[in-house]
Amino acid sequence: MWSQIYLFVLSCVLYTLTTSHSLASQLQNSGLIVGTLTINRTAPIARTDDQFICANIDWGRPSSLLSVDLNNTLLQTAVKAFTPLKLRLGGTLQDNVVFQTPGQRETCTQFVKNTTHVYGLNAICLPTTRWDQINTFLKDTGSVATFGLNALTGKTISNGQALGPWDSTNAEALIRYTAAKNYSIVGWELGNELTGNGTQLLVAPDQYAEDAAALYNLIQDMYNGSETKPLVVAPGGVFNAPWFTEFAHKTTNTVQAITHHVYNLGSGRNPNLINKMTDPWSLHLEAHIFANLQDIIRQSGTSAVAWVGEAGGALYGGQDNVTNAFAMTFWYVDELGLSATYDTKTYCRQTLVGGNYSLLGKDFVPTPDYYCGLLWHRIMGTKVLSTSFNSAATGLDRVHTYAHCSKQGQGVVVVIINLDGERTIRADVSIAGGSISAAEMANRRLMVADATREEYHFSAPDGDLHSRVALLNGIPLNITESGEIPPLDPVMKNADGPVIVDPHTVVFVDFPGVDVPACHDH
């Protein structure tokens, strides 16, 4: 009898598996990627800063720190929407900038060509009046900022190397003036792209560590007695494992944020650049660098954390109608999610304004990426959760998923990126293997009240990835008639149904009623 029962049960199991596989195959063939997105609820795998989203304003023309209209109403409105937005002031040409010290009589010249100089220009001068204007802008918009210092002062240039100790005299004058004015700068960054690996100049890591220590001592002195002191941020360079390893080991107590730059899409002049935006291999090129830097920091014993100090994706200012269009959204959101899983604390987009990869266009009108960054800032919390997506379908590398604890209180926010231009994703969401349905959540004590979820679907009009307008839940995101940033309103769905992600769409899903141990304060 028991053998008959065993055979009966086995036949039922085989029938169920066969039927399920057959059904799954039918669904895949119908243009669906059917699967389960599982979130590990036990503990966060990483943490970001509260102000994870960051944007750069550099010295490159035409929208440089010297020339951008800081009084522009739309610019101020766009920045205020973040309350606060972290800004990195510096980058391109930073190591050619000098501060006009109070009482300086010499004319403050700008962008004068000099073919004998490494950057092809004479020193760029930051007038005290412009520094005052910049700090007024920061205060008026509620922003926080780091500022990049010239790391080449006092050095001798020879055969592509910058030799000798840093002369901190001019930096000291700027920091002293800033402290006296009670301007709030959260970090001073030393140098820009001086770590070799394809950059114009190289400062050896041991010398860079000595220079960073000099900046640390300067800050301790200038801000003596202050409850909080600005961070020392460095080196702001292209990642080079041996260089960063030595630097991290020699700055364990003097540098608080180790920054590197991300241009994993290659040349902005590539005519096929748009294809890289939805290519899984191109998007995850940076993963090994994030992992490598994370290991270097852990093994060095440094107290510093990892930042992406500059990320434009594509070199040479990007590409018009590609890196400032909806296509870039796949790269940007994926970079935010990927970097966060490797304990990156801050991610600075190149740029806020300027170039073809900016968050704001030349007229300060937001690009699609601006709105994704703004939503991330508003709803994604600091605790990062592990996710996996399982399906019988092929091409799963085109489904990228991330999850964070909610920034708005109890709950979990999931991001699903569909890089597939043909197939729709149908994802059931589970936590620790338990399907999210209202009844089951109540049984598992995961849900306390809410039985709904909030969805934000970002897509391109008519699927045009060159579009400079994004749709949120089918509605175009445009500045309102009164000049305000449009509301980012979700659509409400029952919590127990699958998440549907259309082809070439990025979706944020907020489950406000989910209570998971990983999101508890400990």
Side-chain angles (χ1 to χ4, degrees), residues 130-154:
R130 184 59 174 176
W131 185 231
D132 293 337
Q133 292 168 1
I134 290 170
N135 280 277
T136 298
F137 171 81
L138 296 176
K139 182 178 180 181
D140 289 347
T141 58
S143 305
V144 296
T146 65
F147 185 82
L149 300 169
N150 183 342
L152 294 181
T153 53

Side-chain angles (χ1 to χ4, degrees), residues 172 176 215-225 229:
E172 180 178 349
R176 188 181 298 278
L215 174 58
Y216 173 81
N217 291 331
L218 183 61
I219 289 174
Q220 298 306 304
D221 181 47
M222 292 293 102
Y223 293 89
N224 184 33
K229 295 180 174 64

Side-chain angles (χ1 to χ4, degrees), residues 47-124:
R47 284 178 169 84
T48 69
D49 284 346
D50 285 333
Q51 286 81 46
F52 175 65
I53 300 293
C54 167
N56 298 347
I57 306 178
D58 66 18
W59 297 97
R61 292 178 292 178
S63 298
S64 78
L65 277 166
L66 292 174
S67 59
V68 66
D69 181 8
L70 298 175
N71 294 316
N72 182 277
T73 301
L74 186 51
L75 171 62
Q76 293 201 6
T77 298
V79 173
K80 285 178 182 178
F82 283 82
T83 56
L85 177 61
K86 183 182 288 182
L87 293 173
R88 175 191 180 237
L89 307 178
T92 304
L93 299 178
Q94 170 181 319
D95 296 300
N96 205 33
V97 175
V98 294
F99 174 61
Q100 181 191 38
T101 56
Q104 179 178 321
R105 295 180 179 180
E106 294 86 354
T107 302
C108 221
T109 57
Q110 314 298 354
F111 299 105
V112 177
K113 289 186 178 181
N114 180 349
T115 55
T116 64
H117 194 279
V118 65
Y119 294 111
L121 296 168
N122 281 332
I124 301 168

